[in-house]
C-alpha cells in the first residue's frame, strides 16, 4: 500500500548575491565537494516517513527534514541520516546542533535527513523488565528512514536525486547508539541478550519496521557514531559495513571504553563505548576509524560550533572515502604537520605545507581543501594565506582503492580548547606481543614522577596494574607476561591527566 506524503515544508534560503557566490564557489571548489562547503544555500523539505506506537501505546506519525543544496545539478547524491541525542527521553530533529550538522553536510554537497524517532519508556515497561524497547523503537524508525529514501528513489519520483548505495546512517549520543544498533544488532539472538524477545512482539517482532514502505532493505553503506556505544560490540561481524566514530575519552555519560550508561535513563545496561567498538571492529576485519577527543566530556552546548565543525569535518573525510567506493582502512598513510593544530601570528605571510605520504605504491594523488574553501588544488604541497579566522586545512591522498586523509586546524594566537582534539599520545610496540612490550611517548609532559599502567579485559576486569617511574624517559617497558592471550585495553594514568587508552593484543 502506498502512503501519500502528508506534509511538506520547503524553505528557500537564498538571495541573488548568495546565488552568484554559490555558483562561483561551486565552480572553483568542485574538487572539494563532500569535504568543504561549496554551496551557500539550502532547501528543507519535511515528510512523513513512518508511524508507530509510543511507550504509552499512542500511535505517532514520524517525520524527517530533508536538507538539499540549493542550485545543485548532481543527479546521484550521497545521503547522511542524522539522529539526535537526548538519552532516549528527549530531543528532536529540530535541536540546534542537528540543524547545524545537517547544514554543514548539505553545503558540502550531501543530502542530509534529520529524523525524529520515538523516545520515552513507560513505567509498565520498566516494572515488567521490557526496557529493551527503549532501543528497539528508535531502531525501527531508523530502519524506516532508510526504507523511505529507497522507496522515493524507486517509486515516488526520485525527488531528492540520491544514490541509494551511498546512504550513511548515524547520530550523536542516543542517536549514535540507535545507528550502531541498527547496523550491527541484526539477529534476534543478539537483542535477546538484553531480555525476553516477547517484549518486542507488540511492536511487530525483531525484524519489524515502522516504515511506510516495509519491502525495502534498510541496509546502509556505513555508520557514523559520535559519543555512542553498543550493548555488545561482539555483535559486529566480518563483512559488516564500515564504522566512523568520534568520542571524548573523558565522557561521563556514554563510556568511552565500557561502563554503565549514565544518561537520563541510565543504569539498565552496561555499554561498550566507541573505543571498544572500534577495537572489536578492527579485530573482526571491519573497516573502522576512531577520532579520540582527548580530555573531552560528552558533547554539549558549551563546546561551541568550532568543536562541532571540527568533529564533523573529521568524520566527513572518512565518509568521502566511503561514497567514492574506497577504503580508509589500508596501509596508505598521510601526515601534514607535526601536531593537529598550527598556531600562527597573523602578519599577512602565507604558510606553505607539505603532505607526506607513507606506505604508498609510488603513485598517490593528493588533494588539498580548506574549510572554508579558500584552497582547492592537487599537489603534495600547498601555500595557504591564512586570515584571522579559524581554518580547517585538509589533505586527501588516494591510490588504487585506498584513501587516507589528515586535517590541520590553523588558529591564530593562543591555543583554545579545540587543541584538545588530537590523536593518542602514546604508542605500543611490538604489537601484538607476548605480554612484554614498550610504550613510546613524551613522558616529560607528565606532572609528577610516575605513571600507572593498567590492563583490563573486554569485560572491564583489571588483570594487571603497575606504577612505574618516568623521570625523563621517552619509553617504558612493561612485563605483564602472565596474563592470558587475548585482546585487552591498556590504560595509561599520569597524575591528574585524563587516562589514555590503547589496544593491547597478547598472543600465547
Amino acid at each position: 500500500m502506498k502512503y501519500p506524503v502528508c506534509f511538506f515544508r520547503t524553505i528557500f534560503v537564498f538571495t541573488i548575491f548568495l546565488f552568484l557566490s554559490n555558483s562561483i564557489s561551486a565552480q572553483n571548489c568542485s574538487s572539494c565537494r563532500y569535504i568543504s562547503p561549496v554551496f551557500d544555500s539550502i532547501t528543507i523539505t519535511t515528510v512523513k516517513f513512518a508511524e508507530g506506537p509510543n511507550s504509552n501505546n499512542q500511535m505517532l506519525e514520524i517525520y524527517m527534514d530533508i536538507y538539499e543544496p540549493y542550485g545543485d545539478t548532481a543527479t546521484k547524491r550521497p545521503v547522511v541520516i542524522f539522529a539526535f541525542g537526548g538519552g532516549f527521553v528527549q530531543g528532536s530533529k529540530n535541536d540546534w546542533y542537528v540543524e547545524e550538522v545537517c547544514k554543514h553536510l548539505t553545503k558540502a554537497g550531501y543530502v542530509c535527513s534529520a529524523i525524529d524517532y520515538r523516545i520515552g519508556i513507560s513505567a509498565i515497561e520498566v516494572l515488567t523488565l521490557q526496557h529493551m524497547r527503549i532501543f528497539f523503537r528508535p531502531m525501527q524508525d531508523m530502519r524506516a528512514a532508510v526504507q523511505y529514501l529507497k522507496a522515493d528513489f524507486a517509486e515516488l519520483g526520485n525527488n531528492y536525486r540520491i544514490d541509494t548505495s551511498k546512504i550513511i546512517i548515524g547520530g550523536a549520543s542516543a542517536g549514535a547508539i540507535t545507528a550502531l544498533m541498527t547496523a550491527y544488532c541484526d539477529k534476534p539472538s543478539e537483542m535477546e541478550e538484553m531480555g525476553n524477545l516477547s517484549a518486542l512482539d507488540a511492536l511487530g517482532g525483531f525484524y519489524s519496521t515502522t516504515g511506510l514502505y516495509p519491502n525495502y532493505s534498510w541496509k546502509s553503506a556505513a555508520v557514523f557514531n559520535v559519543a555512542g556505544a553498543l550493548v555488545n560490540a561482539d555483535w559486529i561481524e566480518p563483512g559488516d559495513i564500515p564504522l566512523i566514530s568520534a568520542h571524548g575519552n573523558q565522557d561521563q555519560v556514554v563510556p568511552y571504553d565500557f561502563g554503565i550508561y549514565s544518561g537520563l535513563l541510565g543504569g539498565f545496561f552496561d555499554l561498550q563505548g566507541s573505543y571498544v567498538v572500534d577495537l572489536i571492529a578492527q579485530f573482526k576485519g571491519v573497516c573502522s576509524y576512531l577520532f579520540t577527543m582527548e580530555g573531552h566530556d560528552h558533547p554539549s552546548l558549551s563546546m561551541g560550533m568550532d568543536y562541532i565543525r571540527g568533529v564533523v569535518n573529521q568524520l566527513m573525510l572518512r565518509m568521502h572515502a566511503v561514497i567514492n567506493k574506497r577504503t580508509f582502512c589500508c596501509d596508505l598513510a598521510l601526515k601534514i604537520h607535526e601536531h593537529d593544530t598550527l598556531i600562527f601570528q597573523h602578519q599577512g605571510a602565507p604558510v606553505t605545507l607539505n603532505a607526506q605520504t607513507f606506505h604508498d605504491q609510488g603513485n598517490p594523488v593528493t588533494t588539498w581543501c580548506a574549510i572554508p574553501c579558500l584552497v582547492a588544488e592537487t599537489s603534495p604541497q600547498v601555500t595557504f594565506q591564512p586570515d584571522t579566522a579559524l581554518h580547517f586545512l585538509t589533505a586527501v591522498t588516494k591510490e588504487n582503492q585506498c584513501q587516507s586523509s589528515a586535517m590541520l586546524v590553523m588558529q591564530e594566537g593562543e591555543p583554545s580548547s579545540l587543541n584538545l582534539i588530537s590523536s593518542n599520545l602514546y604508542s605500543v610496540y611490538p604489537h601484538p606481543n607476548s605480554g612484554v612490550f614498550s610504550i613510546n611517548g613524551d613522558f616529560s609532559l607528565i606532572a609528577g614522577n610516575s605513571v600507572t599502567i593498567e590492563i583490563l579485559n573486554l569485560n572491564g576486569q583489571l588483570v594487571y596494574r603497575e606504577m612505574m617511574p618516568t623521570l625523563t624517559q621517552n619509553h617504558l617497558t612493561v612485563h605483564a607476561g602472565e596474563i592470558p592471550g587475548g585482546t585487552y585495553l591498556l590504560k595509561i594514568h599520569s597524575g591528574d591527566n585524563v587516562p589514555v587508552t590503547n589496544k593491547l593484543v597478547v598472543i600465547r
Side-chain angles (χ1 to χ4, degrees), residues 202-271:
L203 299 177
F206 178 80
Y207 290 108
S208 63
T209 170
T210 52
L212 307 181
Y213 300 91
N215 293 328
Y216 288 88
S217 165
W218 57 74
K219 180 77 172 179
S220 57
V223 59
F224 72 94
N225 147 49
V226 180
L230 279 170
V231 174
N232 186 352
D234 203 43
W235 293 341
I236 300 174
E237 298 175 324
D240 278 345
I241 60 175
L243 169 62
I244 308 167
S245 303
H247 209 135
N249 68 344
Q250 203 176 8
D251 196 320
Q252 301 300 306
V253 179
V254 178
Y256 171 72
D257 41 29
F258 40 65
I260 295 175
Y261 173 53
S262 58
L264 295 176
L265 284 177
F268 292 127
F269 299 102
D270 288 334
L271 291 179

Side-chain angles (χ1 to χ4, degrees), residues 7-26:
F7 174 62
F8 286 92
R9 175 172 61 90
T10 304
I11 300 177
F12 292 93
V13 189
F14 66 93
T15 63
I16 295 298
F17 172 78
L18 287 179
F19 174 76
L20 291 175
S21 62
N22 171 56
S23 301
I24 295 169
S25 173

Side-chain angles (χ1 to χ4, degrees), residues 20-85:
L20 291 175
S21 62
N22 171 56
S23 301
I24 295 169
S25 173
Q27 181 180 5
N28 293 343
C29 292
S30 59
S31 63
C32 291
R33 182 179 176 128
Y34 307 127
I35 296 175
S36 301
V38 296
F39 296 93
D40 293 300
S41 50
I42 62 174
T43 66
I44 306 174
T45 305
T46 299
V47 297
K48 174 183 171 182
F49 71 94
E51 58 186 16
N54 66 6
S55 59
N56 294 316
N57 209 34
Q58 299 170 321
M59 190 63 64
L60 296 182
E61 296 183 334
I62 309 166
Y63 293 85
M64 68 168 69
D65 287 341
I66 301 178
Y67 294 64
E68 298 176 82
Y70 177 74
D72 186 19
T73 59
T75 57
K76 298 187 71 175
R77 303 179 293 187
V79 182
V80 174
I81 298 177
F82 187 84
F84 61 86

Side-chain angles (χ1 to χ4, degrees), residues 291 310 313-314 317 336 340 371 392-395 405-409:
F291 178 47
N313 291 339
Q314 285 281 8
L317 289 174
I336 58 176
D340 297 307
I371 307 172
F392 300 93
L393 195 62
T394 68
S405 54
M407 187 177 80
L408 178 67
V409 180

Side-chain angles (χ1 to χ4, degrees), residues 392-464:
F392 300 93
L393 195 62
T394 68
V396 175
T397 293
K398 55 188 178 182
E399 186 180 50
N400 302 323
Q401 295 304 307
C402 290
Q403 183 165 314
S404 183
S405 54
M407 187 177 80
L408 178 67
V409 180
M410 298 189 68
Q411 181 177 343
E412 184 186 29
E414 297 298 321
S416 72
S417 60
L418 199 64
N419 295 308
L420 293 174
I421 302 177
S422 64
S423 304
N424 278 346
L425 302 175
Y426 307 106
S427 59
V428 177
Y429 64 94
H431 202 225
N433 56 69
S434 63
V436 179
F437 56 91
S438 294
I439 303 172
N440 188 51
D442 187 358
F443 292 101
S444 66
L445 299 175
I446 295 175
N449 298 319
S450 65
V451 60
T452 300
I453 306 298
E454 292 183 341
I455 301 175
L456 302 92
N457 63 24
L458 296 186
N459 293 320
Q461 298 169 319
L462 183 68
V463 298
Y464 180 87

Side-chain angles (χ1 to χ4, degrees), residues 20 23 52 79 87 99 137-138 144 154 164 237 258 281 322 342 356 359 374 414 417 458 467 498:
L20 291 175
S23 301
V79 182
E99 295 180 350
R137 281 188 290 262
T164 57
E237 298 175 324
F258 40 65
V322 171
L342 176 62
Q356 187 175 4
H359 310 304
L374 304 177
E414 297 298 321
S417 60
L458 296 186
M467 182 177 289
V498 178

